[in-house]
Amino acid sequence: MQKLKKNWDITSNWQLIFPLLGIIGLLACGYFIASRIMPSTFEDVTYEYVFIYGVTLLLAFLFYKFCMWVFPRLITKWKIENRWEMIAIFIVFAITGSASARLSAPLLESLGIDKESMSAWLFWPLRLLIIFPIYQVLLVVMGWLFGQFEFFWAFEKKMLARFGLKL
């Protein structure tokens, strides 16, 4: 346990939640992709389970290796003090991106806008315009919930400045 705490710069026991959430997130991403690419040619359900579990573990391992490769670069670029904070930041980005995409569909439906009623050339840019403000608000809120408000507030101001909006 001490080695884990040392590797992730964990100083308090409550910070152990982030490596645990990181592992769960890696496995969930692996499972999501494995369940989507599973061939339909298996005759026995046992082979389906073996395929799903095997591909899930393989993909989770590959995602882990990618994260371990990118973490040192982002820690220096973003000036992060502790490695566990990187997991929290990645989780916030994942939740925010997924949630904003999910929330945009019902919002467009409530406005009477759907794929069937308008051209895709109008629908998708409109959906992206709706996603953008939802994403901005959720990013700061989720950052606050995960204890990374300062990072995400600075990130938000920098992103909006690139669009010509100053806070």
Side-chain angles (χ1 to χ4, degrees):
M1 184 63 82
Q2 294 304 324
K3 186 178 177 184
L4 176 75
K5 286 183 173 183
K6 185 178 183 235
N7 284 344
W8 289 100
D9 303 324
I10 293 174
T11 56
S12 299
N13 285 338
W14 69 268
Q15 296 165 344
L16 287 169
I17 190 72
F18 292 109
L20 177 65
L21 289 174
I23 292 168
I24 291 169
L26 291 172
L27 289 169
C29 290
Y31 177 77
F32 178 76
I33 294 173
S35 65
R36 298 288 186 255
I37 64 171
M38 184 178 68
S40 59
T41 57
F42 292 124
E43 294 179 15
D44 188 6
V45 72
T46 306
Y47 296 125
E48 290 179 7
Y49 287 131
V50 169
F51 178 84
I52 292 288
Y53 294 143
V55 173
T56 296
L57 291 174
L58 175 68
L59 289 174
F61 177 75
L62 292 174
F63 295 151
Y64 169 78
K65 284 300 200 180
F66 174 74
C67 288
M68 292 301 101
W69 175 77
V70 80
F71 272 19
R73 290 154 182 80
L74 291 177
I75 285 173
T76 56
K77 180 180 178 179
W78 288 343
K79 298 174 183 78
I80 304 296
E81 294 177 17
N82 301 309
R83 291 180 59 149
W84 65 266
E85 291 178 299
M86 284 299 299
I87 299 171
I89 290 169
F90 273 36
I91 291 170
V92 169
F93 278 127
I95 291 172
T96 303
S98 300
S100 61
R102 289 277 187 188
L103 291 173
S104 68
L107 185 60
L108 285 173
E109 284 180 19
S110 69
L111 297 172
I113 300 170
D114 58 3
K115 286 188 239 181
E116 289 79 30
S117 67
M118 71 173 27
S119 166
W121 291 100
L122 285 172
F123 175 78
W124 289 108
L126 191 59
R127 183 161 181 183
L128 290 175
L129 286 173
I130 295 292
I131 288 174
F132 183 72
I134 295 171
Y135 182 79
Q136 304 308 313
V137 171
L138 282 177
L139 193 63
V140 176
V141 171
M142 293 306 292
W144 176 75
L145 288 174
F146 279 82
Q148 299 299 314
F149 177 78
E150 292 83 16
F151 173 82
F152 284 104
W153 184 244
F155 189 87
E156 186 71 30
K157 289 191 287 189
K158 187 176 180 181
M159 185 188 313
L160 292 175
R162 288 182 181 160
F163 286 109
L165 304 169
K166 301 250 181 189
L167 290 178

